[in-house]
Amino acid sequence: MRRSRSRTSASRGARALAALLAGAAGAAAAQSVALSGSLGDKALLVIDGRPRTLAVGTTDGDVRLVSVGSGTAVVEVKGQRLTLALGASPVSVGSSAPAAGAGARIVMTADAAGHFFTGGTINGKSVRFLVDTGATMVGISQSEAERLGLDYKKGAPLMSGTAAGVVTVYHVSLAAVRIGDVQLYDVDATVLPSQMPFILLGNSFLNRFQMKRENDKLTLDKRY
């Protein structure tokens, strides 16, 4: 009987050790990638904390650089394609832990005038948003677009009627828009010549959520 109990304990210990080693192997397999700069067709990536310069089409371990844009880079990591934004948090691949920006709910409180303002980031840079359900897209002033490093004049020019008359605006795609722990990628936006102290959070962002308002609370639940 003593021998049987000893074998059972040893077996349990072996299983526990195997599970521990498997978990460690899984953690080791996780890989983080961030974009810290770009020049022409080359991107400066930080891979697992190590700076690496890659040209489009080249690889470093499991990371391959697919393309480089204005403040963004597209990479493939272990067969998964990711869009990285300049200055944004590292993206983790192969980890069981939730990635930064992987949240699904945003809750805002209205100000005294009933408007919903919130802080956030565009391509990793801090901005202030005003929720505008009447705006087709996220709306950004030209001065703010320049501060964010958006090369908006390469975007599609459009004519738009405003109170000041017909003006030229530019259609661009934002690599990453984040509020709290929720981050969306490839969000359509319009760059406007008018001056605004905030960015209009329009329906190109809002339509990706189920919206619910209760008194002074606005809850956005991410659609899947």
Side-chain angles (χ1 to χ4, degrees):
M1 178 65 73
R2 289 181 181 176
R3 185 176 299 172
S4 176
R5 287 179 179 175
S6 177
R7 288 176 179 172
T8 300
S9 298
S11 177
R12 288 175 179 170
R15 288 197 298 270
L17 179 59
L20 181 62
L21 291 174
Q31 191 157 36
S32 68
V33 187
L35 175 65
S36 65
S38 63
L39 179 62
D41 67 343
K42 295 182 179 180
L44 177 59
L45 305 177
V46 180
I47 303 173
D48 292 335
R50 299 173 294 110
R52 292 288 185 269
T53 300
L54 295 184
V56 171
T58 61
T59 62
D60 183 287
D62 293 323
V63 180
R64 183 173 77 89
L65 181 62
V66 178
S67 64
V68 179
S70 177
T72 63
V74 177
V75 297
E76 279 187 357
V77 185
K78 300 178 180 178
Q80 183 176 347
R81 184 164 292 199
L82 307 167
T83 299
L84 306 177
L86 182 63
S89 300
V91 176
S92 182
V93 178
S95 171
S96 58
R105 171 170 287 188
I106 300 169
V107 179
M108 303 181 212
T109 302
D111 64 9
H115 299 133
F116 292 95
F117 287 95
T118 185
T121 63
I122 290 178
N123 297 352
K125 295 185 177 180
S126 296
V127 297
R128 183 165 174 76
F129 292 110
L130 168 63
V131 173
D132 186 354
T133 56
T136 303
M137 302 183 200
V138 172
I140 308 172
S141 69
Q142 288 185 1
S143 59
E144 187 70 350
E146 289 166 1
R147 184 185 72 84
L148 295 171
L150 302 178
D151 194 2
Y152 63 90
K153 289 188 177 179
K154 287 186 177 179
L158 305 170
M159 304 307 293
S160 177
T162 68
V166 178
V167 297
T168 301
V169 301
Y170 295 89
H171 178 208
V172 298
S173 180
L174 305 175
V177 178
R178 180 168 177 171
I179 297 175
D181 196 36
V182 179
Q183 182 160 280
L184 299 185
Y185 299 94
D186 301 322
V187 179
D188 286 333
T190 301
V191 177
L192 313 164
S194 56
Q195 294 297 317
M196 297 185 294
F198 41 72
I199 289 175
L200 299 178
L201 195 64
N203 289 319
S204 57
F205 182 91
L206 299 174
N207 285 345
R208 299 200 200 178
F209 296 85
Q210 186 73 38
M211 294 193 296
K212 181 180 180 181
R213 179 170 181 174
E214 292 181 341
N215 300 319
D216 65 342
K217 299 289 185 184
L218 178 64
T219 302
L220 305 180
D221 286 309
K222 193 174 180 182
R223 299 178 188 270
Y224 290 98

